[in-house]
């Protein structure tokens, strides 16, 4: 393929954030869209995710905020006439849409080329049975399986292979579609769900290989058939626990080089046979007793593992894929000058270890099963990076915020022996404390490895962590004990707890004895070359590779693990802050440990630190960078207070203002901005209760702008009172002034900080970034200089509507007391527009595959 023949390409976004569909897709779109545009090719993006960063800030030449449906895409293709379609950025939902476009001859009739893949590969991706047959033809071992269209057919398969079996949908609409079945009741439930989410109303029943070691490899291939391996990863948990719910290490920790080379060869062989251009993720199951392995999944589109591989290696996967997509070969790809060799033809080698740890929504949704199995329940993950397995694991655990100050390895858990054994055999989320408890009680490593099917290697590492912590408790203010503990991932807070003192005293003692954090670069050559990826992690060694950036420095503390509620919006806010800080001539520095975060996109921040959001970790970074200002966002109010108390200039964007607990539906709200001395009205929004429009709809719908003349006149009469009430807070920022109707007249009800969802809605509706405006008033600029490009609100058209989406179906929650549609339960948002409210709501309904709205 000659990239000169490509003038315009179409990208289908992934839609709203959800379980298994975090920021990794939007992060890939931002990077690939920007890179393709630099090659002189126009980019058209279609998405309906209100929190999409790629849909703002010129990462695409033209953005359609339209429903992700065949009908909508067909109209856009006919109007835009793109030369090529990129299939790898929209997840499984995007693949299903592309298959429908092919079958309806939309691509053929409009002469749109499918880039990166053959059209046959689409059918293989959505139908695992076809993929299994193709892999068999290649001589790659696959698990015994069969497609079924009824429960009768499924039971016939079970009679042949026996329980347990795995049931998964053909052409699923969601990622989390695999279910483990131990008996007839499990099978009936799994088939009912599987048929429901299948695009063909079929399921695959396959023999279970629970207990095998799960390994994941990511490769890269160009159109000239040059291929290389980006990296291999190893699951801490065995097959039977979904890889998204498992702890994962990169690089592999326990397999031999011969086994590694075997999986490398298989990955590249599969990519070549399937004619995949770009990157591909292949999952394997290994029986370490017999050395037999199976290929369990082939994913040639961007997913969480590719995001982890990019974060772990420092290899610019998205940038390279952009070039390969338009026909440039690996040998011709020229990396930025910060990469010394500037060639993409390298297989990364790591001198560090990365540990990914999932987080779950149990703190919010109480009725979710804590049992770990083949159905994804985690809402996100974090990573820890270190020089040892222990350090990476402990930093990852701290980054989850589940154990904010120390590991608590020696705090006894109140389980009976029977309960402990059951938790070892039937793993639940947060199982690390259970494993540590078993070791503390004297269980033998071989015994635990047999019970859990976790490699004994990891129990030796956990035993080492316990030994280090015991030594720390036994030797207060001992230089050797502290130095050893810090080298393997313990913190000032851990030592302070052990020594019954304060973290500041521990820190002072450490510095007196030259125990000081140093920073190493995350780069793909294991230190062979002086790359400058500008991504760093801390450890305790002699050489420090991170040095203070020149110019005005602003630190932004990122989102951490993606959780339900505001977190998807928080990542949007952080990403926008980074983008506009750079526009304001700051050097933005990000602290974050979320591998799927859009904010981790290289072009957004001048520098990135992959570190937990713990005070001692952050202070190590601040000691080097000495920033002029630090930004904390909605989740980190307490952290911001601690940093302020230490003398740092902190700007907190949060919900910490006082408010009355009054919420009004079907009444207008006035959106305003204040610089502390003046107030300007953005426009008028409205919240419509969803069940007022259709029964059994969960949540509510936001509308912007409202252009009712009578309401506008009533609000104009209240404008002076609104300004007075907002100025009374004395804090520059964005506010929502909610109104209520009393005796047929509008009155002020509450004033609160503008929500992240409203910020995204207004940004998309107005075409002007609200985050940019917020940033500048927070930096002390007057409204006269800030609002220069905000459009005339009386002329804003069309009407935009926005609704939350919820994870209840994926998490199999059907309890009416839990299924409330509260904003704090949301995993994402869907946005739509129309010339009238009716048209906008119709588009919103079409664009939400969950049909909540």
């Amino acid at each position: 393929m000659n990239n000169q023949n490509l003038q315009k390409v179409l990208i289908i976004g992934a839609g709203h954030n959800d379980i298994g569909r975090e920021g990794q897709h939007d992060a890939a779109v931002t990077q690939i869209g920007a890179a393709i545009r630099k090659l002189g090719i126009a980019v058209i993006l279609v998405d309906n995710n209100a929190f999409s960063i790629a849909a703002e800030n010129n990462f695409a030449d033209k953005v359609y905020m339209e429903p992700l449906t065949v009908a909508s895409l067909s109209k856009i293709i006919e109007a835009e006439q793109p030369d090529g379609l990129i299939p790898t950025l929209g997840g499984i939902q995007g693949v299903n849409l592309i298959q429908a476009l092919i079958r309806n001859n939309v691509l053929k009739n409009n002469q749109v080329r499918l880039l990166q893949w053959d059209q046959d590969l689409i059918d293989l991706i959505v139908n695992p049975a076809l993929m299994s047959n193709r892999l068999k033809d290649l001589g790659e071992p696959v698990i015994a399986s069969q497609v079924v269209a009824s429960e009768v057919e499924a039971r016939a398969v079970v009679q042949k292979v026996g329980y347990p079996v795995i049931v998964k949908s053909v052409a699923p609409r969601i990622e989390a579609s695999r279910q483990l079945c131990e008996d007839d009741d499990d099978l009936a439930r799994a088939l009912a769900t599987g048929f429901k989410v299948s695009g063909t109303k079929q399921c695959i029943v396959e023999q279970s290989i629970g207990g095998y070691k799960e390994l994941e490899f990511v490769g890269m291939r160009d159109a000239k058939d040059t291929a290389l391996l980006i990296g291999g990863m190893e699951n801490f948990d065995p097959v039977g626990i979904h890889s998204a719910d498992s702890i994962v290490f990169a690089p592999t920790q326990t397999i031999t080089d011969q086994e590694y080379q075997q999986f490398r060869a298989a990955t590249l062989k599969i990519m070549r046979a399937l004619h995949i251009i770009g990157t591909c993720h292949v999952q394997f199951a290994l029986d370490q007793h017999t050395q037999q392995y199976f290929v369990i999944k082939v994913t040639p589109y961007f997913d969480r593992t590719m995001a982890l591989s990019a974060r772990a290696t420092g290899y610019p996967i998205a940038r390279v894929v952009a070039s390969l997509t338009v026909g440039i070969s690996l040998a011709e790809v020229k990396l930025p000058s910060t990469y010394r060799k500037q060639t993409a033809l390298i297989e990364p080698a790591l001198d560090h270890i990365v540990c990914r740890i999932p987080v779950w929504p149990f703190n919010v949704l109480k009725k979710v099963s804590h049992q770990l199995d083949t159905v994804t329940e985690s809402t996100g993950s974090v990573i820890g990076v270190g020089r040892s397995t222990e350090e990476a694991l402990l930093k990852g655990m701290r980054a989850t915020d589940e154990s904010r100050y120390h590991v608590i390895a020696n705090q006894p858990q109140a389980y009976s022996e029977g309960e402990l054994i059951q938790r070892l055999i039937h793993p639940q989320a947060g199982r690390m404390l259970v494993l540590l408890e078993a070791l503390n009680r004297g269980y033998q490593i071989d015994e635990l490895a047999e019970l859990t099917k976790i490699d004994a290697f990891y129990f030796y590492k956990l035993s080492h962590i316990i030994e280090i912590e015991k030594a720390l408790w036994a030797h207060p203010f001992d230089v050797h004990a502290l130095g050893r503990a810090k080298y393997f991932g313990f913190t000032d807070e851990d030592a302070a707890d052990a020594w019954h003192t304060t973290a500041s005293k521990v820190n002072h003692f450490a510095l007196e004895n030259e125990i000081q954090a140093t920073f190493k670069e995350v780069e793909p050559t294991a230190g062979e070359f002086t790359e400058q990826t500008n991504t760093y992690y801390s450890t305790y060694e002699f050489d420090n590779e991170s040095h203070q950036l020149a110019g005005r420095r602003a630190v932004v503390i990122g989102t951490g693990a993606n959780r339900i509620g505001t977190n998807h919006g928080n990542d949007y806010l952080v990403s926008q802050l980074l983008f506009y800080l750079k526009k304001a001539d700051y050097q933005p520095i990000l602290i974050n440990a979320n591998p799927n975060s859009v904010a981790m996109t290289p072009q957004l921040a001048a520098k990135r630190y992959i570190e937990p959001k713990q005070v001692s970790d952050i202070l190590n970074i601040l000691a080097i960078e000495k920033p002029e200002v630090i930004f904390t966002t909605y989740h980190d109010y307490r952290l911001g207070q601690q940093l302020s108390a230490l003398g740092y200039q902190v700007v907190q964007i949060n919900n910490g203002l006082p408010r009355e607990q009054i919420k009004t539906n079907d009444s207008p709200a006035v959106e305003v901005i204040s610089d502390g001395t003046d107030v300007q009205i953005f426009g008028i929004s409205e919240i419509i209760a969803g069940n007022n429009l259709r029964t059994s709809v969960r949540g509510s719908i936001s509308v912007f702008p409202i252009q009712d003349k009578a309401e506008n006149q009533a609000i104009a009469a209240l404008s002076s009172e609104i300004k007075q009430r907002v100025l009374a807070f004395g804090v520059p920022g964005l506010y929502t002034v909610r109104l209520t109707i009393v005796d047929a007249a509008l009155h002020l009800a509450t004033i609160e900080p503008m929500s992240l969802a409203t910020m995204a809605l207004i940004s998309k509706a107005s075409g002007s970034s609200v985050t940019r405006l917020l940033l500048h008033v927070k930096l002390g600029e007057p409204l006269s200089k800030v609002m220069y490009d905000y459009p005339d609100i009386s002329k804003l058209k069309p009407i935009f509507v926005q609704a939350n989406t919820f994870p209840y179906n994926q998490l199999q929650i059907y309890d009416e007391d839990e299924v409330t549609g509260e904003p704090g339960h949301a995993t994402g948002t869907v946005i739509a527009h129309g010339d009238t409210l009716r048209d906008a709501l119709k588009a919103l309904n079409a664009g939400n595959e969950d049909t909540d709205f």
Side-chain angles (χ1 to χ4, degrees):
M1 184 187 301
N2 185 346
N3 68 309
Q4 292 180 346
N5 295 328
L6 285 175
Q7 303 298 318
K8 184 191 295 184
V9 297
L10 176 67
I11 294 175
I12 300 173
H16 62 83
N17 299 84
D18 211 335
I19 290 178
R21 189 165 62 194
E22 301 164 54
Q24 68 268 24
H25 302 96
D26 202 45
V29 174
T30 60
Q31 295 172 77
I32 288 176
I36 288 177
R37 292 187 72 210
K38 285 185 177 180
L39 295 170
I41 299 169
V43 174
I44 308 300
L45 172 64
V46 186
D47 207 344
N48 65 350
N49 180 2
F51 290 118
S52 170
I53 292 296
E56 298 184 32
N57 312 130
N58 298 318
F59 290 110
D61 292 271
K62 193 170 185 180
V63 176
Y64 286 88
M65 300 302 297
E66 298 291 341
L68 296 180
T69 63
V70 174
S72 174
L73 290 168
S74 298
K75 290 181 180 178
I76 292 167
I77 288 171
E78 290 170 5
E80 289 292 340
Q81 291 293 300
D83 304 300
L85 169 60
I86 299 177
T88 57
L89 300 172
I92 190 64
Q93 295 79 10
V95 176
N96 287 330
L97 285 168
I98 292 167
Q99 184 185 52
L101 291 171
I102 292 170
R103 290 181 174 176
N104 291 339
N105 292 319
V106 175
L107 300 189
K108 180 180 178 181
N109 292 343
N110 290 278
Q111 298 181 319
V112 181
R113 287 179 287 169
L114 184 66
L115 307 176
Q116 297 185 272
W117 299 345
D118 292 337
Q119 292 188 2
D120 290 344
L121 182 57
I122 298 281
D123 294 328
L124 298 181
I125 295 168
V126 300
N127 190 332
L130 293 178
M131 179 67 80
S132 180
N133 290 334
R134 179 65 67 87
L135 292 171
K136 283 181 188 175
D137 294 341
L138 295 178
E140 289 298 323
V142 294
I143 305 160
S145 63
Q146 187 172 323
V147 177
V148 300
S150 69
E151 189 172 334
V152 172
E153 292 179 10
R155 292 190 187 281
V157 176
V158 172
Q159 286 181 351
K160 293 179 184 177
V161 301
Y163 284 113
V165 295
I166 299 289
V167 172
K168 53 189 179 183
S169 298
V170 175
R173 292 188 294 107
I174 59 176
E175 299 279 359
S177 58
R178 297 166 54 89
Q179 297 192 53
L180 177 70
C181 304
E182 302 277 2
D183 53 36
D184 289 349
D185 290 340
D186 288 349
L187 182 66
R189 282 192 295 269
L191 290 169
T193 303
F195 291 141
K196 181 180 178 182
V197 302
S198 168
T200 63
K201 304 305 177 186
Q202 294 174 304
C203 288
I204 293 172
V205 179
E206 70 178 26
Q207 181 182 7
S208 172
I209 51 170
Y212 281 34
K213 181 182 291 292
E214 185 162 354
L215 299 141
E216 308 184 54
F217 282 70
V218 174
M220 184 83 73
R221 177 182 174 271
D222 66 15
K224 293 183 178 179
D225 206 28
T226 303
L228 54 85
L229 190 75
I230 302 299
M233 285 148 278
E234 178 176 325
N235 283 226
F236 174 90
D237 296 292
V239 172
I241 295 175
H242 196 287
S243 61
D245 284 354
S246 176
I247 294 171
V248 177
F249 286 92
T252 57
Q253 300 290 290
T254 67
I255 63 174
T256 65
D257 182 62
Q258 183 179 358
E259 290 167 334
Y260 185 92
Q261 295 303 326
Q262 174 181 248
F263 294 126
R264 175 188 180 276
T267 300
L268 302 186
K269 174 184 175 183
I270 290 167
M271 292 187 70
R272 286 177 167 133
L274 300 182
H275 309 295
I276 296 168
I277 295 173
T279 188
C280 182
H281 164 211
V282 184
Q283 291 166 260
F284 300 93
L286 173 66
D287 183 346
Q288 288 198 293
H289 298 294
T290 65
Q291 305 309 305
Q292 180 185 15
Y293 76 87
F294 295 101
V295 179
I296 54 179
K297 191 175 183 183
V298 177
T299 305
Y301 50 84
F302 274 86
D303 65 1
R304 76 180 68 83
T305 299
M306 292 180 193
L308 174 62
S309 189
R311 299 287 82 77
T313 63
Y315 186 94
I317 290 178
R319 182 185 288 268
V320 174
V321 167
S323 295
L324 303 189
T325 298
V326 300
I328 299 171
S329 69
L330 278 166
E332 295 168 326
V333 173
K334 188 174 182 181
L335 299 184
S337 59
T338 52
Y339 290 87
R340 184 175 172 185
K341 292 189 72 174
Q342 292 189 265
T343 177
L345 274 174
I346 57 170
E347 292 200 340
L350 306 186
D351 59 358
H352 57 267
I353 293 171
V354 177
C355 174
R356 186 189 75 192
I357 298 182
V359 298
W360 290 271
F362 306 141
N363 61 322
V364 177
L365 295 171
K366 308 300 182 185
K367 301 291 177 69
V368 182
S369 169
H370 290 210
Q371 200 72 34
L372 297 182
D373 53 31
T374 55
V375 177
T376 311
E377 292 183 340
S378 60
T379 57
S381 61
V382 290
I383 53 177
V385 188
R387 301 292 261 190
S388 64
T389 306
E390 294 92 329
E391 185 180 23
L393 176 61
L394 289 182
K395 289 177 73 175
M397 287 178 66
R398 291 210 310 281
T400 65
D401 291 334
E402 297 299 331
S403 175
R404 184 174 287 273
Y405 295 112
H406 51 93
V407 177
I408 330 178
N410 292 300
Q411 288 199 358
Q413 305 295 302
Y415 302 130
S416 68
E417 289 301 321
E419 287 174 327
L420 184 62
I421 290 173
Q422 284 301 308
R423 286 177 177 268
L424 291 170
I425 297 172
H426 303 290
Q428 295 188 1
R431 67 188 309 196
M432 191 58 67
L433 292 182
V434 174
L435 303 179
L436 291 165
E437 175 68 14
L439 288 168
N440 274 323
R441 291 192 189 184
Y443 281 69
Q444 297 301 303
I445 286 177
D446 290 345
E447 180 183 16
L448 289 171
E450 179 59 32
L451 282 172
T452 63
K453 306 304 179 187
I454 296 170
D455 197 290
F457 168 86
Y458 296 110
F459 286 107
Y460 283 107
K461 294 297 183 181
L462 293 178
S463 296
H464 190 211
I465 288 171
I466 292 172
E467 175 194 334
I468 294 167
E469 189 175 45
K470 285 180 177 178
L472 192 63
W473 282 70
H475 300 91
F477 290 96
D478 180 90
V479 173
H480 175 73
L482 181 61
R484 182 181 179 222
K486 284 204 166 193
Y487 182 78
F488 283 103
F490 288 84
T491 65
D492 291 339
E493 288 88 350
D494 295 327
D497 187 73
W499 296 349
H500 306 292
T501 186
T502 64
S504 61
K505 288 183 179 178
V506 172
N507 182 256
H508 184 70
F509 175 77
L511 294 178
E512 278 186 336
N513 290 278
E514 299 182 346
I515 302 171
Q516 189 169 354
T518 55
F519 290 88
K520 303 294 182 182
E521 191 170 17
V522 178
E523 52 85 26
T525 71
E528 182 178 355
F529 299 102
T530 53
E531 312 287 27
Q532 290 180 322
T533 62
N534 276 349
T535 303
Y536 297 89
Y537 66 95
S538 68
T539 190
Y540 283 81
E541 293 184 350
F542 294 108
D543 294 329
N544 180 58
E545 296 175 4
S546 178
H547 305 285
Q548 186 183 103
L549 284 174
R552 293 193 300 172
R553 297 168 300 284
V555 164
V556 181
I557 298 177
T559 59
N562 193 68
R563 300 177 186 273
I564 62 173
T566 60
N567 209 87
H568 47 288
N570 210 38
D571 191 34
Y572 166 84
L573 173 63
V574 169
S575 300
Q576 291 284 70
L577 285 174
L578 294 169
F579 183 87
Y580 285 106
L581 278 166
K582 187 176 286 188
K583 292 282 187 182
D585 294 325
Y586 279 86
Q587 292 277 51
I589 300 163
L590 174 67
I591 302 174
N592 200 7
N594 181 348
N596 301 312
S597 169
V598 182
M600 293 293 282
T601 300
Q603 59 260 53
L604 290 177
K607 203 170 185 180
R608 291 160 296 282
Y609 287 93
I610 303 177
E611 292 292 296
K613 294 192 296 182
Q614 200 164 324
V615 173
S616 61
D617 296 293
I618 291 172
L619 290 178
N620 290 334
I621 297 167
L622 300 182
I624 287 179
E625 299 296 349
K626 296 180 175 58
E628 279 78 1
V629 62
I630 300 168
F631 287 85
T632 63
T633 56
Y634 282 74
H635 294 301
D636 296 314
Y637 180 69
R638 179 173 171 273
L639 176 60
Q641 287 182 313
Q642 290 175 297
L643 295 175
S644 293
L646 292 171
Y648 290 96
Q649 178 65 37
V650 179
V651 173
Q652 299 201 64
I653 300 172
N654 55 61
N655 279 325
L657 292 173
R659 70 183 73 182
E660 302 170 57
Q661 296 303 310
I662 300 173
K663 295 293 181 184
T664 58
N665 282 333
D666 300 327
S667 293
V670 183
E671 312 297 346
V672 303
I673 183 171
S674 170
D675 60 6
T677 59
D678 193 12
V679 175
Q680 184 168 329
I681 293 176
F682 269 118
I684 308 166
S685 66
E686 188 171 19
I687 295 177
I688 303 172
N691 53 19
N692 286 357
L693 300 169
R694 196 174 76 214
T695 58
S696 58
V697 170
R698 296 187 283 267
S700 57
I701 296 151
S702 298
V703 184
F704 182 89
I706 296 297
Q707 295 178 334
D708 183 280
K709 290 184 179 179
E711 286 186 348
N712 283 336
Q713 290 172 356
I715 289 167
L718 292 171
S719 61
S720 61
E721 184 182 354
I722 289 171
K723 291 181 179 181
Q724 184 179 359
R725 289 275 296 274
V726 170
L727 290 174
F729 285 124
V731 180
L734 304 172
Y735 298 94
T736 294
V737 182
R738 298 200 180 278
L739 307 178
T740 188
I741 300 174
V742 179
D743 297 329
L746 283 175
H747 296 271
L748 270 65
T750 64
I751 300 177
E752 59 191 56
M754 188 182 292
S755 72
L756 295 167
T758 302
M759 289 172 62
L761 172 62
I762 296 177
S763 294
K764 296 297 191 294
S766 68
S768 180
S769 172
V770 174
T771 309
R772 181 189 71 80
L773 307 180
L774 173 63
L775 170 66
H776 284 282
V777 296
K778 288 291 187 181
L779 290 174
E781 295 185 25
L783 288 183
S784 57
K785 290 187 176 180
V786 171
M787 299 294 288
Y788 65 90
D789 71 341
Y790 190 73
D792 183 346
I793 58 177
S794 66
K795 297 179 181 179
L796 284 180
K797 291 184 181 295
I799 293 172
F800 277 74
V801 291
Q802 181 174 277
N804 288 325
T805 57
F806 302 95
Y808 303 129
N809 290 335
Q810 285 194 341
L811 295 175
Q812 301 176 48
I813 303 174
Y814 308 109
D815 188 306
E816 288 301 320
D817 292 334
E818 186 89 309
V819 181
T820 60
E822 295 177 17
H825 292 180
T827 50
T829 56
V830 178
I831 195 169
H833 60 83
D835 291 334
T836 66
L837 179 59
R838 181 186 293 274
D839 291 339
L841 291 172
K842 184 178 178 181
L844 184 71
N845 189 37
N848 184 356
E849 74 264 19
D850 291 339
T851 65
D852 292 337
F853 219 101

